[in-house]
Amino acid sequence: MMETTNQTLNTIKPSKFIAFNRLFAAVYTFAVLTLLYYHVLKLITNSHTKSSIFISISMLIADLLLAFTWSTGQAFRMYPVTRKPDPEKIIETIGKSGFPDLDVFICTADPYKEHPISVVNTALSVMAYDYPTEKLSVYISDDGGSQLTLFAFMEAVKFGKYWLPFCRENDIMERCPHAFFGSNCEKIHQSEKIKMMYEKMKKRVEEAVESRKISEHISEKEREAFGKWSQGFTCEEHPSVIEVLVDSNRDTDIRGVAMPNLVYVSREKTNTSFHHFKAGALNTLLRVSALMTNAPIILTIDCDMFSNDPKTPYSVLCFYMDTLLSSKLAYIQFPQSFHGLNKDDIYSSEMKRWFHINPKGMDGLSGPDNMGTCCFIIRKALFGPPFSILQPEMALLSPNHVVKNLISSQQTLEMALYVAGSDYEKHKNWGFEIGFRYGSLVEDFFTGYRLHSEGWKSIFCDPERPAFYGEAPISLHQAVNQVKRWSVGLLEVAFSKYSPLTFGMTNLGPLMTHCYSYYAFSPLLSIPITIYAFLPQLTLLNQIYIFPKVSDPLFLLYIFLFLGAYIQDCLDFILEKGTITRWWNEQRIWLIRGLTCYLFGTIEYLMKQLKFSTVEFNVTNKISDDEQSKRYYEGIFEFGVSSPMFYPLATTSIINLAAFFGGFLQIIMKGEKYLDSAFVQTFIAGFGVLNCIPIYEAMALRTDNGRMPIKITIIASFLAWSLYFVTSNFIFKV
């Protein structure tokens, strides 16, 4: 297809496979409907016993949910596009003096799970952007209210006075100190000197975290800031703390060049007030930054990610300055990319479908969902629909307000402390009509969804050089624990008054509704995955055959549905510069998520709705030891902890192994007739065994600390036997 140009600043190119995707979707839809008709017919005509009714209904539910997920997923394939900005033309077009201000929001909450030195690296990487420093401001939200985090940034400012000019003078691309010094940097002049400064700064911060005490060797001004941590100050109950660590109007680096603003913010917390989690922290930053700088563009970036390209803002401006896009443009989303992945990405941390493939499909519609990080948000989009911007209760917080007071003036700081108060949002529309939206643990997804519903558009920008890099989880528990929290949040959207099936269909149109439904209802995949992980295997062990025989024409339908879905998924992956091995690991993790985080996330959501428990925001532990890292880079799965999520995983691995060998032995002993009846179930069990190889190794062959805990193996063995006993004697007994 022809490439089209918008204002010469960016191009958009539709995928070459659009026609094929649409044709395949039509054929596959017919096959799915045929399968569902077969299930209904079988339920009506062949269900004469309680066991046959149970089996028929279970398989119908499983295939209905798989069909729903497949159909919603096809929306991403209807019109995928690739956009390419031309940042070199930006300076020619507007000149540096015409650049809009840029505010950066970084959130952290626990210095023992999100190490302050990692947050510092994130901040320094964006402070070093190749962007006019007087137009750049970085805001740190510390929801834990930790002195350690503030101390780390005080140390970072001292190092930054040398680091920022060093990056500019040497035209460094990797402006995250940790990433730069971890690469081949010896050839650059003065790199060893700067590295020594970084290591000393890092050591001081790490010693403070380890001892849980601030160094005594601090200035009087710094000591005054820590005076706010009085007796009774805790992470759950404390007043607002705002410290302007760098003011670009007065602070310069060693070359005399102004440094970007750097502001530390910890919102007020009290035991009597309700705290929305990350969205609440972001809304506090939105108000504080409105009073101090009020930049029209906001970058939200996770504290464990960092900038990998100092010219990224230029790419953003290619879309922001495009008059064909700007009137309805809400945000520009960059993909999450991860450095330090092992060769085969065993936990599929890359999440290529969620972070790379699907966003291109949504970009051809109204734009990608908000991933919560690596996202440049247009401030006015957070204040109501296009062309009808809502005004907040204070004119100073309006996106159109022009800041006149200095960032560190007494008046500004007093107002900032006021709007960071725990009761400020009471009886106001923050989080509901204005700002980052409340109502879901996945506030980023929900905010993007609401913005699209209001008529805003978004852009997906995926440059050849990743704009951002992050730290990938290096244990299976870390990998699935974060997705469990996402699962609860997604279901909160799926079954709310804003459900994509109702609210979305009215406000988004059918294709975008399908896209958001794919995400919102994805945790329900735990149901069909759990059914397929246990039911065919348990019925095979009881010599009950629930699938068509090999000689039956319907067998070809199952072959087409299985191979069609898997081959199409694999092709998507390969075309997005993936490898076969990484694709295999992604589909394995898809099955693992169904039995762990999706399943437990669904249960946790149900418990919350039944008022049996409340969901709390759990910060993912991003700190690991050397032995874990070594096993990860060798491609060895890390279990180690006794997580409840590992019980169904271990149990299904035992059930599948028993069923596969039981079915295989029966085929050898009884021959072709048995093969005709039992092939599909034996194949499914064998497919499960193939995916469970790392689990078998962890249960029986390994002795390192990352093996499956013996307690889980023993209990899972008992659960597997109990399932077989109960199904044989009660459920499947004729």
Side-chain angles (χ1 to χ4, degrees):
M1 294 187 180
M2 291 292 293
E3 212 174 64
T4 57
T5 304
N6 288 329
Q7 300 287 304
T8 73
L9 296 177
N10 60 82
T11 58
I12 179 170
K13 186 177 182 181
S15 169
K16 298 177 182 178
F17 297 93
I18 291 174
F20 171 79
N21 288 341
R22 294 176 179 180
L23 177 62
F24 181 79
V27 174
Y28 201 89
T29 299
F30 178 77
V32 168
L33 292 174
T34 302
L35 175 66
L36 296 178
Y37 172 76
Y38 163 73
H39 278 310
V40 173
L41 192 64
K42 189 176 181 181
L43 181 62
I44 295 173
T45 59
N46 296 336
S47 297
H48 304 302
T49 64
K50 290 182 179 179
S51 63
S52 62
I53 293 173
F54 171 77
I55 293 169
S56 296
I57 291 177
S58 297
M59 295 307 297
L60 176 60
I61 291 172
D63 287 343
L64 269 173
L65 287 171
L66 287 174
F68 173 77
T69 301
W70 177 86
S71 65
T72 54
Q74 293 312 296
F76 299 107
R77 297 184 170 102
M78 293 299 100
Y79 194 70
V81 300
T82 301
R83 295 182 189 268
K84 185 178 180 181
D86 191 353
E88 299 300 324
K89 292 186 179 179
I90 280 293
I91 298 179
E92 301 173 14
T93 304
I94 60 176
K96 283 202 172 185
S97 61
F99 281 11
D101 287 2
L102 172 62
D103 287 344
V104 181
F105 292 175
I106 303 172
C107 295
T108 185
D110 188 335
Y112 301 105
K113 291 185 177 180
E114 298 169 331
H115 203 294
I117 200 66
S118 175
V119 190
V120 160
N121 272 279
T122 301
L124 287 171
S125 73
V126 292
M127 288 177 72
Y129 266 151
D130 188 7
Y131 202 77
T133 54
E134 69 278 4
K135 293 180 176 290
L136 179 61
S137 302
V138 178
Y139 293 85
I140 309 298
S141 169
D142 177 17
D143 233 24
S146 172
Q147 297 180 75
L148 300 173
T149 303
L150 178 56
F151 172 73
F153 275 93
M154 287 177 172
E155 292 295 311
V157 170
K158 299 170 189 175
F159 171 69
K161 291 178 180 289
Y162 296 84
W163 174 249
L164 301 188
F166 172 76
C167 290
R168 287 193 296 266
E169 291 166 7
N170 293 283
D171 198 21
I172 304 295
M173 289 297 286
E174 292 176 316
R175 299 193 180 183
C176 166
H178 175 75
F180 175 74
F181 294 124
S183 62
N184 185 21
C185 60
E186 290 81 5
K187 296 180 182 179
I188 298 177
H189 180 59
Q190 287 193 324
S191 62
E192 282 302 315
K193 178 183 175 182
I194 300 294
K195 183 177 182 180
M196 287 179 62
M197 295 174 63
Y198 172 71
E199 292 298 335
K200 288 179 180 178
M201 181 267 290
K202 180 180 176 183
K203 184 180 179 182
R204 289 193 295 271
V205 173
E206 289 178 341
E207 286 176 349
V209 173
E210 188 175 347
S211 66
R212 303 195 176 207
K213 291 192 300 184
I214 303 303
S215 170
E216 296 179 359
H217 304 292
I218 57 176
S219 68
E220 192 61 36
K221 183 179 179 182
E222 291 171 333
R223 197 177 303 279
E224 184 182 333
F226 291 117
K228 296 170 184 175
W229 274 261
S230 57
Q231 189 173 5
F233 190 114
T234 68
C235 63
E236 295 298 331
E237 188 170 8
H238 60 80
S240 301
V241 178
I242 298 177
E243 286 292 324
V244 178
L245 300 173
V246 179
D247 183 339
S248 63
N249 290 303
R250 70 179 184 214
D251 297 316
T252 62
D253 60 31
I254 58 168
R255 297 287 186 266
V257 177
M259 294 178 70
N261 295 316
L262 179 63
V263 183
Y264 170 91
V265 179
S266 184
R267 57 179 172 153
E268 181 187 15
K269 285 189 174 182
T270 65
N271 287 331
T272 57
S273 59
F274 179 76
H275 301 289
H276 299 281
F277 301 117
K278 187 177 176 182
L282 287 170
N283 278 335
T284 299
L285 291 185
L286 187 63
R287 294 191 295 271
V288 170
S289 66
L291 295 169
M292 292 185 166
T293 49
N294 210 30
I297 306 176
I298 298 166
L299 165 61
T300 58
I301 180 172
D302 280 351
C303 64
D304 59 341
M305 303 204 78
F306 60 86
S307 166
N308 187 53
D309 186 347
K311 299 185 185 298
T312 296
Y314 296 169
S315 296
V316 172
L317 294 182
C318 288
F319 303 109
Y320 178 73
M321 304 301 293
D322 187 338
T323 55
L324 297 179
L325 301 172
S326 59
S327 62
K328 289 189 176 183
L329 182 60
Y331 56 88
I332 299 99
Q333 178 67 62
F334 287 79
Q336 292 191 53
S337 300
F338 300 92
H339 78 115
L341 294 175
N342 66 6
K343 185 181 71 169
D344 297 326
D345 189 16
I346 55 175
Y347 304 130
S348 189
S349 301
E350 188 179 32
M351 296 188 77
K352 190 174 283 289
R353 178 156 296 284
W354 280 50
F355 293 159
H356 294 266
I357 298 172
N358 287 353
K360 289 185 177 180
M362 296 181 79
D363 201 8
L365 305 173
S366 294
D369 61 303
N370 187 331
M371 300 176 193
T373 184
C374 315
C375 185
F376 289 82
I377 302 176
I378 312 306
R379 186 181 289 262
K380 67 179 181 180
L382 297 170
F383 289 81
F387 314 116
S388 57
I389 303 300
L390 302 176
Q391 293 301 316
E393 62 290 335
M394 285 174 54
L396 294 176
L397 302 180
S398 168
N400 300 318
H401 168 67
V402 178
V403 176
K404 295 179 181 178
N405 293 329
L406 295 176
I407 190 172
S408 54
S409 70
Q410 189 63 31
Q411 182 182 1
T412 300
L413 290 174
E414 287 177 0
M415 288 297 296
L417 288 168
Y418 171 64
V419 300
S422 61
D423 293 331
Y424 180 78
E425 293 183 1
K426 279 187 177 179
H427 312 300
K428 298 181 179 71
N429 53 7
W430 284 91
F432 301 97
E433 296 180 51
I434 290 179
F436 297 87
R437 306 307 163 85
Y438 305 147
S440 169
L441 283 176
V442 283
E443 74 296 318
D444 42 14
F445 172 83
F446 190 47
T447 297
Y449 170 53
R450 291 287 303 279
L451 292 178
H452 281 136
S453 299
E454 291 173 1
W456 292 101
K457 308 291 183 182
S458 59
I459 296 292
F460 184 63
C461 185
D462 188 8
E464 287 188 21
R465 179 182 176 88
F468 301 95
Y469 267 135
E471 297 287 343
I474 64 170
S475 76
L476 183 61
H477 185 255
Q478 288 177 2
V480 298
N481 198 47
Q482 186 175 40
V483 178
K484 186 190 80 168
R485 184 178 72 85
W486 295 350
S487 298
V488 178
L490 290 169
L491 290 174
E492 287 174 334
V493 178
F495 295 104
S496 71
K497 67 177 182 179
Y498 296 107
S499 173
L501 294 181
T502 53
F503 182 83
M505 189 62 75
T506 305
N507 295 277
L508 290 173
L511 288 179
M512 282 296 286
T513 294
H514 274 66
C515 291
Y516 274 109
S517 295
Y518 174 88
Y519 289 123
F521 292 95
S522 59
L524 296 184
L525 279 168
S526 58
I527 298 172
I529 290 175
T530 302
I531 290 173
Y532 268 97
F534 288 101
L535 188 59
Q537 296 80 350
L538 289 168
T539 51
L540 179 62
L541 288 170
N542 286 277
Q543 297 189 22
I544 299 173
Y545 312 118
I546 61 176
F547 291 99
K549 297 179 179 180
V550 174
S551 57
D552 191 324
L554 276 171
F555 172 76
L556 297 176
L557 176 65
Y558 274 89
I559 293 293
F560 172 73
L561 289 171
F562 177 82
L563 292 180
Y566 269 81
I567 290 174
Q568 186 184 37
D569 189 69
C570 183
L571 285 175
D572 286 345
F573 200 88
I574 299 301
L575 290 171
E576 197 54 42
K577 301 176 183 177
T579 65
I580 292 290
T581 307
R582 285 196 172 192
W583 169 79
W584 172 260
N585 284 324
E586 182 174 81
Q587 70 81 33
R588 188 211 309 270
I589 290 296
W590 180 77
L591 296 172
I592 288 175
R593 287 182 188 136
L595 293 164
T596 55
C597 47
Y598 285 169
L599 178 62
F600 279 78
T602 301
I603 292 171
E604 197 165 319
Y605 168 76
L606 290 173
M607 295 293 284
K608 180 186 177 186
Q609 297 307 304
L610 295 172
K611 310 298 182 184
F612 289 136
S613 68
T614 57
V615 180
E616 295 184 357
F617 179 83
N618 295 313
V619 179
T620 304
N621 192 339
K622 301 177 175 75
I623 300 175
S624 54
D625 59 44
D626 293 338
E627 286 299 314
Q628 275 189 346
S629 299
K630 182 181 177 182
R631 287 191 290 270
Y632 174 72
Y633 290 116
E634 289 175 354
I636 300 172
F637 270 63
E638 182 78 24
F639 295 92
V641 298
S642 294
S643 171
M645 286 192 282
F646 292 160
Y647 286 110
L649 203 57
T651 303
T652 193
S653 67
I654 295 169
I655 291 286
N656 276 265
L657 187 64
F660 174 69
F661 280 109
F664 186 69
L665 288 175
Q666 289 294 325
I667 289 173
I668 292 175
M669 292 170 59
K670 296 183 180 180
E672 187 176 332
K673 184 177 180 181
Y674 185 85
L675 175 66
D676 192 39
S677 301
F679 175 80
V680 176
Q681 282 159 269
T682 305
F683 173 81
I684 291 173
F687 188 70
V689 168
L690 193 60
N691 278 284
C692 288
I693 287 175
I695 302 171
Y696 301 131
E697 292 176 347
M699 292 170 70
L701 303 179
R702 289 167 51 188
T703 58
D704 56 72
N705 292 332
R707 65 169 297 176
M708 183 77 78
I710 295 175
K711 173 187 172 183
I712 291 180
T713 303
I714 293 172
I715 294 176
S717 300
F718 173 75
L719 290 173
W721 177 84
S722 300
L723 276 172
Y724 173 70
F725 178 82
V726 170
T727 54
S728 298
N729 291 280
F730 299 100
I731 298 178
F732 300 145
K733 189 174 182 180
V734 180

